[in-house]
Amino acid sequence: MKSNLLMNFTVDKENKTVNIKREFDASLSNVWSAWTESEILDQWWAPAPFKSKTTVMEFKEGGKRLYAMVGPEGDERWSVFEYTSISPKTNFKHSTTFCDAEGNPNSIFGSSYWDLTFSEQGDLTVVDIAIRRDSFEELEKIIEMGFKEGITATMQSLDKIFEARK
């Protein structure tokens, strides 16, 4: 596995946005599938020791993914993605909202608005992610909760999946 894969994480306070640029040592098709198919997402979309469990997956404009991050003691932290725009193998956008197991929003945290762009660069695939919040205070809250560490560990889990497939 390439250990020098790019992982840039920056915070744009003025625009209430986190920007992540991440390289993967895999084809565009495989990276796209890993981000859009629940069978693969559930293998990596949670920082260890948590596991991801999807109960609804409708990857289409107007569709949603309802899933839980399940802790080692069985505690569940639910979220819902609501897909707003999809350009196959190029870009998709969704909101992410903490919720209960039925998808009812938890208003305490508000929503994140994700914009993911995929591109091939030689043998690598680059995913550019912009995650916007409604307020800087909300953005600070998720950063204080360990978002950078969690997303970094999660991306490393995806690297291991790609490495195992080689």
Side-chain angles (χ1 to χ4, degrees):
M1 174 170 39
K2 289 189 179 184
S3 59
N4 59 342
L5 294 169
L6 177 70
M7 170 73 180
N8 284 343
F9 183 101
T10 58
V11 177
D12 178 348
K13 293 178 182 179
E14 185 178 329
N15 292 306
K16 304 171 293 255
T17 303
V18 168
N19 294 292
I20 302 166
K21 185 172 190 163
R22 182 62 156 79
E23 290 178 333
F24 293 98
D25 188 12
S27 71
L28 175 61
S29 182
N30 285 342
V31 174
W32 180 262
S33 293
W35 284 84
T36 62
E37 297 173 17
S38 63
E39 303 79 29
I40 306 171
L41 273 165
D42 280 346
Q43 295 176 43
W44 68 275
W45 188 254
F50 286 85
K51 302 286 183 203
S52 178
K53 174 180 81 172
T54 300
T55 58
V56 175
M57 183 69 179
E58 305 165 316
F59 185 71
K60 62 182 184 181
E61 289 185 17
K64 68 180 179 179
R65 175 185 183 221
L66 178 62
Y67 72 100
M69 286 193 189
V70 183
E73 306 298 320
D75 53 314
E76 298 176 339
R77 298 179 187 169
W78 288 90
S79 292
V80 62
F81 291 179
E82 295 184 278
Y83 298 103
T84 56
S85 171
I86 298 172
S87 298
K89 296 189 180 176
T90 304
N91 176 274
F92 69 88
K93 298 176 184 175
H94 67 81
S95 62
T96 301
T97 308
F98 291 109
C99 62
D100 64 18
E102 285 76 47
N104 300 306
N106 174 341
S107 60
I108 296 171
F109 289 106
S111 297
S112 296
Y113 305 93
W114 290 59
D115 184 346
L116 298 95
T117 301
F118 297 74
S119 60
E120 284 183 307
Q121 296 189 359
D123 293 338
L124 303 176
T125 298
V126 176
V127 182
D128 282 295
I129 308 166
I131 307 164
R132 185 180 51 78
R133 298 291 298 196
D134 288 326
S135 72
F136 181 66
E137 293 73 29
E138 287 181 11
L139 183 64
E140 276 186 318
K141 226 184 264 187
I142 65 165
I143 291 170
E144 288 169 5
M145 290 170 56
F147 180 73
K148 179 179 182 180
E149 296 78 12
I151 197 77
T152 299
T154 299
M155 302 279 180
Q156 290 168 342
S157 294
L158 182 53
D159 288 332
K160 290 176 186 167
I161 290 171
F162 292 140
E163 183 63 24
R165 290 182 175 182
K166 290 196 177 248

